[in-house]
């Protein structure tokens, strides 16, 4: 039976490849018909997940999708996207336009370049996945452990949601600058990181995975938090301001052919990707969709069916779809003050910076770490203790500690709280080894 199923699946794959080669996708990029945006039209043979492929390619190019119209009934997929660059201008960079045509057009059907969204093969670094209970100082402790183990963090993304934290980090060996391959050393890294993640003493578990597989980081973070069931809120107190809560509804049409999902929320970067990925990963197919994000708020409407062809079947399933979409929206919400650090990369940089943030009693709600050409660009979203606004004096303390020329503070004026006149500057130099998790350092060995 298993052999027959594999044979049937392989035949379906070969038929799909043949059909796509006989009916290659067509991409039209139009910078004339719309006053404020570049219009991208994609026509292609339909297959499950194709919408996610297209949206991910546009999103990974840091393009903003302001409007979209999607239709994929039958065997054909037709999309129209209105996109701009991050400055709100039309996309005119010929290198970007060429990449879009190559990635979504006829060349994507060649056997040598079959699209595999989210997979980038590389042996330049080792990928580490972390999942556990969120707490103040967690990123600082993880970074310090990796630095002590002679690991350089070249890329990392950290999300927190509903008391949980997930991270995907790419590290290299301090000495060789390449991936870490020694099994014993990898085992020690995993064990020590698990000890740090378990330091919160929460009921729910923690995990640390070291792998050579490199997947699309943001997709993997969604998958990790979804598998951890972060969408199950203890209560609704997450939304102190009910206005900040996404409005998600799921209703079945009267003929019961489709379920209609509508989403209204504050617009932000990569919102469409997060929604489409969640629906796709939950095994739903988007047949029609309309997206409008030209103002401060986004309105999205999806006509969906389960991959087995059925609409949403029960109230329990409807409730789960709503919960999962709300979680997908909230995971990437950038709460807190935005700090941008740009500096020459070195081993221990992230550890030093996050230590300073922790010692100033700030918590990191989200972080992005990138390294390119010897330069490190780190972005942190930080908040004060118990959700309080960050004092301006605290930011000045951090600035003085890491240098005025490399730290930029971005955010609205109301996100900074003026410090009381008699409030002393809070900066503690001696707190690094007082953290309870560093008792685990006795296990660390030197690898030279």
């Amino acid at each position: 039976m298993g052999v027959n199923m594999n044979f049937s699946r392989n035949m379906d794959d070969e038929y799909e490849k043949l059909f796509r080669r006989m009916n290659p996708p067509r991409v039209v990029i139009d910078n004339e018909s719309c006053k404020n945006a570049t219009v991208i039209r994609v026509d292609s043979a339909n297959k499950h997940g194709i919408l996610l492929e297209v949206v991910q390619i546009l999103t990974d190019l840091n393009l903003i999708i302001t409007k979209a119209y999607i239709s994929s009934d039958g065997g054909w997929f037709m999309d129209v996207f209105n996109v701009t660059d991050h400055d709100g201008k039309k996309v005119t960079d010929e290198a970007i336009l060429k990449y879009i045509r190559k990635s979504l057009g006829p060349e994507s059907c060649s056997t040598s370049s079959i699209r595999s969204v989210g997979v980038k093969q590389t042996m330049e670094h080792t990928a580490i996945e972390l999942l556990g209970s969120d707490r103040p100082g967690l990123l600082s402790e993880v970074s310090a452990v990796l630095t002590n183990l002679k690991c350089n963090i070249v890329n990392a993304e950290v999300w927190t949601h509903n008391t949980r934290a997930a991270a995907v980090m790419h590290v290299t060996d301090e000495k060789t600058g390449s991936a870490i391959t020694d099994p014993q050393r990898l085992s020690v890294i995993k064990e020590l990181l698990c000890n740090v993640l378990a330091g919160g003493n929460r009921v729910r578990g923690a995990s640390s995975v070291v792998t050579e597989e490199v997947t699309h980081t943001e997709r993997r973070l969604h998958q990790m938090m979804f598998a951890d069931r972060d969408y199950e809120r203890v209560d609704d107190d997450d939304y102190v301001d009910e206005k900040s809560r996404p409005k998600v509804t799921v209703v079945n049409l009267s003929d019961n052919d489709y379920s209609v999902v509508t989403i209204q929320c504050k617009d932000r970067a990569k919102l469409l990707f997060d929604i489409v990925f969640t629906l796709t990963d939950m095994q739903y197919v988007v047949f029609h969709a309309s997206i409008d994000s030209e103002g401060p708020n986004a309105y999205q409407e999806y006509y969906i069916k389960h991959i087995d062809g059925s609409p949403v079947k029960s109230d329990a399933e409807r409730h789960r779809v709503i919960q999962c979409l709300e979680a997908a929206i909230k995971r990437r919400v950038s709460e807190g003050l935005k700090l941008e650090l740009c500096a020459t990369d070195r081993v221990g940089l992230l550890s030093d910076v996050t230590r300073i943030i922790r010692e100033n009693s700030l918590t990191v709600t989200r972080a992005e770490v990138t390294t390119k050409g010897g330069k490190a660009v780190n972005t942190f979203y930080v908040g004060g203790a118990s959700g309080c606004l960050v004092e301006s004096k605290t930011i000045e303390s951090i600035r003085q500690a890491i240098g005025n020329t490399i730290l930029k503070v971005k955010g609205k004026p109301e996100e900074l709280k003026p410090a009381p006149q008699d409030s002393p500057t809070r900066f503690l130099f001696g707190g690094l080894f007082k953290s309870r998790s560093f008792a685990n350092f006795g296990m660390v060995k030197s690898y030279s």
Side-chain angles (χ1 to χ4, degrees):
M1 179 68 73
V3 174
N4 291 335
M5 289 181 63
N6 288 334
F7 177 77
S8 176
R9 191 179 299 113
N10 290 337
M11 287 296 293
D12 289 342
D13 290 344
E14 291 304 315
Y15 175 78
E16 181 181 286
K17 293 175 185 177
L18 176 62
F19 185 77
R20 285 177 60 81
R21 284 197 293 269
M22 294 178 64
N23 301 275
R26 183 179 65 208
V27 178
V28 177
I29 300 177
D30 176 8
N31 262 322
E32 302 298 328
S33 61
C34 182
K35 181 179 178 181
N36 302 318
T38 298
V39 179
I40 300 175
R41 298 181 178 88
V42 182
D43 296 337
S44 172
N46 195 17
K47 68 172 183 177
H48 181 57
I50 189 171
L51 174 60
L52 177 58
E53 291 187 10
V54 176
V55 170
Q56 183 174 305
I57 286 169
L58 297 178
T59 302
D60 285 348
L61 290 169
N62 291 319
L63 301 180
I64 306 298
I65 300 172
T66 58
K67 284 188 176 183
Y69 305 95
I70 295 151
S71 180
S72 62
D73 253 343
W76 204 253
F77 169 84
M78 294 175 285
D79 272 8
V80 180
F81 297 94
N82 286 18
V83 303
T84 68
D85 62 17
H86 257 283
D87 296 323
K89 299 178 181 179
K90 293 184 179 184
V91 183
T92 56
D93 187 325
E94 190 54 43
I96 293 177
L97 299 179
K98 182 179 179 181
Y99 180 83
I100 293 172
R101 293 188 187 99
K102 182 176 181 179
S103 300
L104 300 178
E107 288 185 60
S108 66
C109 294
S110 65
T111 54
S112 61
S113 61
I114 294 294
R115 282 177 290 186
S116 180
V117 172
V119 179
K120 299 178 181 178
Q121 296 296 336
T122 177
M123 290 300 293
E124 296 178 355
H125 53 247
T126 299
I128 298 175
E129 298 175 357
L130 306 172
L131 182 67
S133 296
D134 186 30
R135 68 175 187 275
L138 180 60
L139 179 57
S140 172
E141 295 174 16
V142 167
S143 304
V145 167
L146 289 172
T147 298
N148 199 277
L149 289 167
K150 310 298 183 185
C151 300
N152 187 34
I153 303 170
V154 293
N155 293 294
E157 188 144 356
V158 181
W159 290 0
T160 62
H161 177 248
N162 196 18
T163 74
R164 304 297 285 171
V168 174
M169 295 182 164
H170 298 158
V171 304
T172 59
D173 178 74
E174 177 184 345
K175 188 174 182 180
T176 65
S178 58
I180 300 167
T181 57
D182 178 12
Q184 181 184 358
R185 187 176 177 192
L186 293 175
S187 178
V188 171
I189 292 172
K190 180 178 178 179
E191 183 176 2
L192 288 176
L193 290 177
C194 272
N195 289 343
V196 171
L197 290 169
N201 295 320
R202 297 286 182 91
V203 175
R204 295 173 72 178
S207 65
S208 171
V209 177
V210 181
T211 176
E212 292 182 357
E213 295 182 8
V214 182
T215 61
H216 189 275
T217 297
E218 293 162 344
R219 290 184 69 169
R220 186 63 190 136
L221 286 167
H222 273 304
Q223 289 172 338
M224 291 164 63
M225 300 198 91
F226 176 79
D228 192 49
R229 305 174 75 89
D230 73 313
Y231 53 85
E232 294 181 341
R233 296 190 306 274
V234 176
D235 51 44
D236 284 345
D237 289 342
D238 291 349
Y239 302 100
V240 177
D241 179 8
E242 191 64 25
K243 293 181 180 179
S244 69
R245 181 171 186 165
K247 293 180 174 61
V248 182
T249 62
V250 180
V251 297
N252 286 1
L253 294 182
S254 56
D255 58 10
N256 223 30
D257 280 344
Y258 297 102
S259 294
V260 183
V261 178
T262 59
I263 299 169
Q264 298 180 66
C265 63
K266 186 177 180 180
D267 191 29
R268 60 163 174 77
K270 303 186 179 182
L271 176 64
L272 179 58
F273 167 82
D274 294 337
I275 298 300
V276 171
F277 171 77
T278 300
L279 290 172
T280 304
D281 212 44
M282 293 179 70
Q283 300 296 300
Y284 291 101
V285 179
V286 176
F287 287 88
H288 304 282
S290 176
I291 286 86
D292 187 348
S293 304
E294 286 194 309
N297 298 315
Y299 179 85
Q300 302 185 3
E301 184 177 74
Y302 300 88
Y303 288 70
I304 67 168
K305 294 181 184 179
H306 195 269
I307 199 170
D308 64 7
S310 65
V312 173
K313 298 175 183 176
S314 65
D315 287 339
E317 183 183 356
R318 180 180 293 106
H319 182 64
R320 185 169 182 264
V321 171
I322 291 172
Q323 278 192 318
C324 291
L325 289 175
E326 284 185 354
I329 294 168
K330 292 293 290 183
R331 285 175 196 137
R332 204 200 290 264
V333 169
S334 304
E335 296 177 345
L337 197 66
K338 183 179 180 181
L339 305 182
E340 285 187 356
L341 172 76
C342 182
T344 301
D345 187 40
R346 60 174 174 80
V347 175
L349 176 63
L350 182 62
S351 175
D352 290 342
V353 173
T354 52
R355 170 178 56 83
I356 292 169
I357 291 173
R358 187 189 78 239
E359 289 174 342
N360 279 272
S361 300
L362 300 184
T363 59
V364 177
T365 59
R366 193 160 74 85
E368 299 173 11
V369 176
T370 58
T371 305
K372 189 173 183 180
K375 291 287 184 181
V377 179
N378 300 347
T379 301
F380 306 96
Y381 293 89
V382 300
S386 303
C388 297
L389 291 177
V390 180
E391 290 189 359
S392 56
K393 207 164 196 178
T394 302
I395 296 300
E396 287 307 311
S397 296
I398 296 174
R399 257 211 181 103
Q400 292 170 18
I402 63 178
N404 289 318
T405 59
I406 56 175
L407 178 69
K408 295 180 181 179
V409 180
K410 296 190 175 183
K412 301 174 184 177
E414 60 268 24
E415 291 175 333
L416 265 181
K417 175 184 175 183
Q421 294 297 318
D422 59 348
S423 174
T425 298
R426 300 193 64 179
F427 180 68
L428 308 173
F429 288 95
L432 175 59
F433 292 101
K434 293 180 181 178
S435 170
R436 59 182 175 276
S437 294
F438 288 90
N440 300 319
F441 272 19
M443 300 173 61
V444 177
K445 300 178 181 179
S446 174
Y447 295 86
S448 56

